[in-house]
Amino acid sequence: MTSGTPDLVTLWQRFTDWLGAHAPADLATLRPGCADGELGRPADGLGFAVHDDMAATLELHDGVVARRASTEPGAFLLDYGLLDVDGILEAHRDLVATVEDALEEGEEDLVVGRTADIRWVPLARNICGDLLFVDHRPQHAGEIGEMSFGDPEYRMLWPRMDLMLVDLCEALEKRTPVTCVPRIPRLHEGRMLEWPVAAR
């Protein structure tokens, strides 16, 4: 971890403290952390151990209460809702199915490592099904990526989760844009957070 960068527990606390003060409906959607017996389930379902950052996050928060509509709170991570263990495994199965279909159709060069990969572990999903994920490929371990359906290539947003949370917290506190497609935090009805793309 970079010298001077707080640990994930501290950063998540900073983030959720801001939600509590400014977006209480979002904070209310956060589920408690996984029980000790649940922490092994992701590895069992994926077939490999999850990155330490993801394990630490699940220990703090096992996702959010699932949204049924875009007007409901809980999508405070760049308009994505944090997934629980069941949601992670379900979304990962969808990625695996996409990879398997591509291999059968001889289109792996267009798909594998570009729009889907069996070593991408979903972290959060938006209402359209797009994903934020933690990359588990050895050469990209721990990177935070964004996969949007219809895009020919995923985006690498942050090299590590702690750096993601530092940027998000600073964006919230200073109302500054984040990511290569600049998104600025905005409060909706004083209860939930939105991240519209900044006008250019």
Side-chain angles (χ1 to χ4, degrees):
M1 185 173 288
T2 302
S3 176
T5 302
D7 61 75
L8 280 180
V9 173
T10 301
L11 288 167
W12 273 117
Q13 188 63 55
R14 179 180 168 190
F15 188 89
T16 56
D17 283 350
W18 190 95
L19 291 180
H22 302 280
D26 277 332
L27 183 67
T29 67
L30 269 170
R31 293 160 45 99
C34 286
D36 289 345
E38 287 283 291
L39 285 172
R41 283 186 59 219
D44 293 340
L46 298 168
F48 53 87
V50 296
H51 192 276
D52 288 347
D53 290 352
M54 193 148 202
T57 297
L58 286 170
E59 196 167 0
L60 291 170
H61 304 294
D62 186 21
V64 297
V65 176
R67 296 191 307 154
R68 293 165 296 179
S70 60
T71 55
E72 294 182 351
F76 46 76
L77 284 181
L78 300 179
D79 291 333
Y80 291 83
L82 199 62
L83 290 166
D84 63 8
V85 171
D86 288 335
I88 288 167
L89 296 177
E90 177 188 356
H92 183 259
R93 285 192 293 269
D94 291 341
L95 289 176
V96 170
T98 299
V99 169
E100 290 174 346
D101 289 346
L103 293 173
E104 287 180 10
E105 296 168 9
E107 295 182 346
E108 59 268 32
D109 291 345
L110 298 175
V111 173
V112 179
R114 299 186 67 188
T115 62
D117 199 283
I118 63 172
R119 305 282 301 187
W120 291 354
V121 180
L123 173 69
R125 180 168 46 200
N126 69 15
I127 205 74
C128 298
D130 301 334
L131 297 171
L132 294 181
F133 62 87
V134 179
D135 206 326
H136 284 64
R137 293 175 295 171
Q139 68 273 34
H140 299 281
E143 292 178 0
I144 307 298
E146 180 178 31
M147 186 277 292
S148 298
F149 289 103
D151 285 354
E153 196 88 31
Y154 84 99
R155 294 187 189 97
M156 195 281 279
L157 299 183
W158 286 278
R160 299 194 316 261
M161 192 180 293
D162 60 336
L163 299 181
M164 174 188 83
L165 286 168
V166 167
D167 281 356
L168 292 179
C169 288
E170 290 184 355
L172 293 176
E173 294 158 2
K174 301 175 183 177
R175 295 294 199 273
T176 52
V178 291
T179 75
C180 52
V181 178
R183 288 169 266 206
I184 297 178
R186 180 178 69 190
L187 282 173
H188 177 69
E189 297 178 347
R191 66 188 184 92
M192 57 186 274
L193 187 59
E194 298 176 330
W195 293 86
V197 174
R200 298 195 182 213

